[in-house]
Amino acid sequence: MTTKIVFRNTSGAITVDGTYKNLQYHSKSTITQGGAQKLPLVAPMPNMWALSSTGGIQMCPSYGSASATDRIDIWSVVGTGERYEFCDKDFVRANPGINIYNEISGELVFSSNIKPMRVVDAVSGVANMNAGEVLLEKTYNTSRKYAVVMGSIPVRLWAGSNIETYCPKIQTSNGYVKISIEKMTQANAGPYRGTLKTPTYNFLVVDVTGY
């Protein structure tokens, strides 16, 4: 027997029905303290990954990489951090549970046996790209653990007496999430002077408790 079912939130809006779609948890890995690290994608495409660190993780796109679509450069600033990877792979059900299918295509769109990406906040804007600029600082639920998915990553390159790179720094602890712009690298200046900025940013805060 087939039963038609929908889930609604406390406001009465439908949150899960036959058209529902979400990424699911795939894997977790540890990021060690150190310099630039290549983190290849593990989960099948399409996918997203979220970062969490008490001490702080600073990140910047892999400009100039021949395979920039499969990696991102990470600087673990203090201590270690975690990377949580989510993807849109086929659902695998090992145990009985609640399964919801699209009534037309027959596609499984929800299963109670998977761990979905639990988005709790979405933030976007245009940064001034100054050191210490706070893009987000908020305490959510202190009993939960959170990570950050970066979409558009703001970057500023400044060439003067030195060449300096400014990128987002992510800090998470006991329900607290902070994202700020900080100087990431500094090198001796070459013959060029000036500033290059891509200040637009957007990111998701996701609940990774128990993942």
Side-chain angles (χ1 to χ4, degrees), residues 2-164:
T2 301
T3 301
K4 188 170 183 178
I5 186 171
V6 297
F7 289 81
R8 299 178 184 271
N9 61 20
T10 55
S11 300
I14 294 176
T15 56
V16 179
D17 62 6
T19 63
Y20 173 85
K21 199 69 175 177
N22 193 5
L23 299 181
Q24 64 172 300
Y25 172 74
H26 177 272
S27 58
K28 174 184 174 181
S29 57
T30 299
I31 303 170
T32 58
Q33 182 173 341
Q37 303 176 51
K38 179 180 179 180
L39 296 181
L41 301 178
V42 177
M45 296 290 284
N47 61 23
M48 298 178 105
W49 45 275
L51 298 174
S52 177
S53 173
T54 301
I57 294 179
Q58 207 160 1
M59 56 193 301
C60 186
S62 302
Y63 292 117
S65 169
S67 56
T69 58
D70 71 351
R71 59 168 278 181
I72 202 161
D73 283 341
I74 299 298
W75 276 256
S76 182
V77 180
V78 179
T80 60
E82 296 85 33
R83 178 183 69 161
Y84 300 84
E85 198 161 357
F86 298 83
C87 70
D88 189 22
K89 68 176 183 179
D90 293 337
F91 290 104
V92 177
R93 306 183 310 282
N95 302 300
I98 298 175
N99 302 304
I100 300 178
Y101 297 83
N102 181 290
E103 59 184 334
I104 297 176
S105 67
E107 179 186 11
L108 179 64
V109 295
F110 174 85
S111 174
S112 59
N113 291 306
I114 62 97
K115 296 179 178 180
M117 176 179 280
R118 301 178 295 209
V119 178
V120 299
D121 205 354
V123 182
S124 62
V126 178
N128 293 319
M129 299 307 301
N130 297 321
E133 178 184 359
V134 176
L135 306 182
L136 172 71
E137 186 172 19
K138 186 174 181 178
T139 299
Y140 296 91
N141 186 331
T142 56
S143 65
R144 312 293 291 181
K145 183 173 184 178
Y146 299 96
V148 176
V149 178
M150 293 297 298
S152 178
I153 303 174
V155 179
R156 177 165 75 96
L157 302 176
W158 177 82
S161 56
N162 294 297
I163 298 177
E164 299 176 351

